[in-house]
Amino acid sequence: MAKAPVLTPRADDFPRWYQDLINKAELADNGPVRGTMVIRPYGYGLWERMQQEMDARIKEAGASNAYFPLFIPQSYLTKEAEHVEGFAPELAVVTHGGGKELEEPVVVRPTSETIINDYFSKWVQSYRDLPLLINQWANVVRWEMRPRVFLRTTEFLWQEGHTAHATYEDARDYAAYIHREVYADFMANVLGIDVVLGRKTASERFAGAINTLTLEGMMGDGKALQMGTSHELGQNFAKAFNTQYLSKEGRQELVWQTSWGSSTRMVGGLIMSHGDDNGLRVPPRLAPVQVVVLAIKGDEAVLAKVREIGDRLKAAGVRVQVDDRTDTPFGRRAVDWELKGVPVRVEVGPRDLENGTAMLARRIPGGKEPVAIDALAGLLPTVLEEDQALLLRQSRERRESRTSDVTTIEEAVEAAAAGGWARIPWADLGEEGEAKLAEHSVTVRCLVAEDGSVPDADDAPGNVAVVARAY
């Protein structure tokens, strides 16, 4: 009788495969309240690495980290009409505290534009205070009707940036900089995920924004996942909260603003972009553990050698873990590390010691080969970079091979139903066609220019709509 697979095959049931992998790789569990999640240590380790890489890029962009309260007076949200309308169905509202009814209900933050603007209006007095560039790492709550771990949860972790500028041009350029140099750079060069950079249509913009820039990734099943967004807020929140500054010319002016965010949804994107029927495949630049050195048997000489190899690799700058748990069968440990997607396994047993070699198992391209133990420290950094590049190449090839250029709504729906994306001229689609696509659970993920760049306006000549089914 054939042995049952550890995971449901992706081709049989992609959603079930996704859930199996989260469970078997020990990434997360469902929380006790519907729509919440418990992120387990290995899953949180992935998020911590994402935080570290993103935080460095955000600081390079000139922003400083701060923290604002979880509870927001409900009246704050009503100051910006589009904002409150956009978030109303998702709000969690607290009406009682300390055993008493509150004088004013408070909202558990769904995002922080309103409360941060209240403080920006106090902090910004003069043009000398601008630009004001703030980021916070926090949790937010958006009451989710159809939860899925990492992808859509009632509470999730994220970073949210908020900035104030003296001019429209400064705000526009900063939002574009975050979009390109922080988010796109991180997603391509660390996550190894090919993303399309584009502009959201008016109906898909962030509530209260005048422009939303997005990054869309194609998952293994051909659906799209919004990986991050950067918004031009114009002066909408500045007007609502009277956020003004005294210009060089001595006039009181409203600031221009941006906000931008990415979340633990990226962990879901990582799983669905790179995972296979054997588990995760974690990009080496992201991986908390890049190499695991496994002792095959509990021989003292073997144990000493795997620890020595671990020390050598650590000295060479590799994030390494030694697995000397020989009371657990080697096969089970190897499968567990494969499920977790550690890029490289170095396996050492008594026979390997005799030969002066170790077995090198590469998770991303697959395959095993013996390698001289003394060559490992010099070889592995190159191997890890090769595998990092391979994941990005595979992601790009999948998107390109499964994207069709079409001219009709029917063809766009057909392409999405077949597990791909479609590109259709916005002039042929328009808002009326966008509404028709929605009837088939297909959405315009973004608008791009003919050359693939981000267009300056929704109605710019030659805009192309990228359409797909999405998470």
Side-chain angles (χ1 to χ4, degrees):
M1 181 181 292
K3 188 176 180 181
V6 176
L7 303 174
T8 301
R10 290 176 303 160
D12 291 353
D13 189 335
F14 195 85
R16 173 56 61 187
W17 165 83
Y18 176 79
Q19 195 59 51
D20 283 354
L21 180 46
I22 287 172
N23 293 334
K24 297 289 179 65
E26 299 180 338
L27 301 179
D29 274 328
N30 290 316
V33 175
R34 185 179 183 277
T36 62
M37 63 177 170
V38 175
I39 305 176
R40 300 185 67 176
Y42 189 71
Y44 199 82
L46 294 171
W47 174 240
E48 281 184 313
R49 287 285 304 137
M50 291 180 185
Q51 281 184 301
Q52 291 163 14
E53 291 283 348
M54 289 280 289
D55 198 58
R57 286 164 172 77
I58 289 167
K59 286 173 179 169
E60 185 68 23
S64 299
N65 286 337
Y67 187 80
F68 292 82
L70 174 68
F71 296 123
I72 301 172
Q74 191 174 40
S75 59
Y76 280 28
L77 270 75
T78 62
K79 290 185 179 183
E80 212 293 324
E82 286 186 44
H83 194 67
V84 69
E85 183 180 351
F87 280 101
E90 301 175 320
L91 296 180
V93 182
V94 179
T95 59
H96 288 71
K100 298 180 180 180
E101 185 173 355
L102 302 179
E103 290 184 12
E104 179 186 352
V106 297
V107 171
V108 183
R109 68 171 163 238
T111 182
S112 298
E113 278 76 11
T114 57
I115 192 167
I116 288 178
N117 261 280
D118 185 55
Y119 285 86
F120 275 15
S121 66
K122 299 175 184 178
W123 298 344
V124 174
Q125 303 296 325
S126 160
Y127 68 91
R128 296 183 183 89
D129 300 321
L130 300 173
L132 180 55
L133 313 174
I134 296 292
N135 177 67
Q136 78 165 342
W137 292 94
N139 62 337
V140 291
V141 170
R142 298 178 185 176
W143 214 259
E144 183 58 55
M145 295 298 103
R146 293 179 296 171
R148 184 174 295 182
V149 173
F150 289 122
L151 299 178
R152 290 188 177 277
T153 48
T154 295
E155 179 190 9
F156 55 90
L157 307 180
W158 77 344
Q159 59 73 213
E160 52 177 318
H162 300 268
T163 70
H165 304 260
T167 67
Y168 161 73
E169 290 78 11
D170 284 350
R172 176 200 63 197
D173 293 347
Y174 195 79
Y177 182 89
I178 293 292
H179 186 226
R180 183 181 63 251
E181 301 298 333
V182 175
Y183 290 162
D185 179 77
F186 167 73
M187 289 166 195
N189 294 317
V190 179
L191 291 188
I193 298 176
D194 174 72
V195 287
V196 170
L197 282 69
R199 178 186 181 103
K200 286 292 190 184
T201 62
S203 67
E204 292 288 330
R205 278 183 207 140
F206 177 74
I210 62 171
N211 182 30
T212 289
L213 303 173
T214 184
L215 303 101
E216 303 287 330
M218 180 184 281
M219 302 296 101
D221 61 351
K223 288 185 179 179
L225 184 71
Q226 179 180 290
M227 300 286 291
T229 49
S230 182
H231 315 289
E232 296 174 44
L233 301 179
Q235 294 181 312
N236 290 340
F237 289 91
K239 291 173 184 175
F241 287 84
N242 197 32
T243 311
Q244 300 185 72
Y245 71 98
L246 185 67
S247 72
K248 289 182 181 179
E249 294 74 29
R251 294 191 302 268
Q252 287 292 328
E253 305 277 0
L254 291 169
V255 299
W256 296 82
Q257 293 182 273
T258 77
S259 69
W260 25 278
S262 60
S263 73
T264 38
R265 169 177 282 205
M266 292 190 294
V267 179
L270 172 75
I271 297 166
M272 295 192 296
S273 286
H274 299 320
D276 62 19
D277 285 347
N278 295 316
L280 275 172
R281 295 189 304 161
V282 180
R285 292 181 188 170
L286 177 74
V289 178
Q290 294 174 311
V291 178
V292 61
V293 186
L294 289 95
I296 294 176
K297 291 188 176 179
D299 181 285
E300 284 301 321
V302 169
L303 293 174
K305 181 57 70 173
V306 297
R307 292 163 187 158
E308 177 190 320
I309 293 171
D311 290 340
R312 284 190 196 175
L313 295 181
K314 189 177 295 183
V318 176
R319 293 189 291 277
V320 63
Q321 181 166 332
V322 171
D323 185 346
D324 54 8
R325 302 168 298 156
T326 52
D327 54 342
T328 299
F330 168 74
R332 177 177 173 181
R333 288 184 286 136
V335 168
D336 284 346
W337 289 116
E338 188 168 53
L339 279 166
K340 286 180 165 63
V342 171
V344 174
R345 298 194 312 273
V346 175
E347 303 169 354
V348 182
R351 190 173 302 171
D352 299 299
L353 280 190
E354 292 175 9
N355 297 328
T357 62
M359 191 62 68
L360 189 71
R362 294 171 67 173
R363 177 69 183 90
I364 292 164
K368 284 187 176 186
E369 62 176 333
V371 173
I373 288 174
D374 290 342
L376 286 170
L379 175 65
L380 282 174
T382 300
V383 165
L384 293 170
E385 283 301 297
E386 289 175 355
D387 292 353
Q388 178 78 32
L390 176 59
L391 283 178
L392 179 60
R393 188 163 65 249
Q394 289 176 343
S395 177
R396 181 174 296 121
E397 289 171 352
R398 177 174 62 236
R399 178 183 62 81
E400 291 176 346
S401 67
R402 296 168 73 171
T403 300
S404 306
D405 287 306
V406 303
T407 57
T408 68
I409 293 172
E410 291 73 22
E411 290 173 333
V413 170
E414 184 179 342
W421 291 8
R423 289 166 39 99
I424 182 171
W426 179 243
D428 294 342
L429 185 65
E431 293 180 359
E432 184 177 337
E434 185 178 16
K436 289 181 180 178
L437 285 175
E439 296 172 4
H440 300 275
S441 300
V442 177
T443 56
V444 176
R445 304 312 306 157
C446 61
L447 299 175
V448 298
E450 284 181 302
D451 63 1
S453 62
V454 181
D456 293 330
D458 292 8
D459 56 356
N463 278 357
V464 176
V466 177
V467 308
R469 290 183 173 170
Y471 285 97

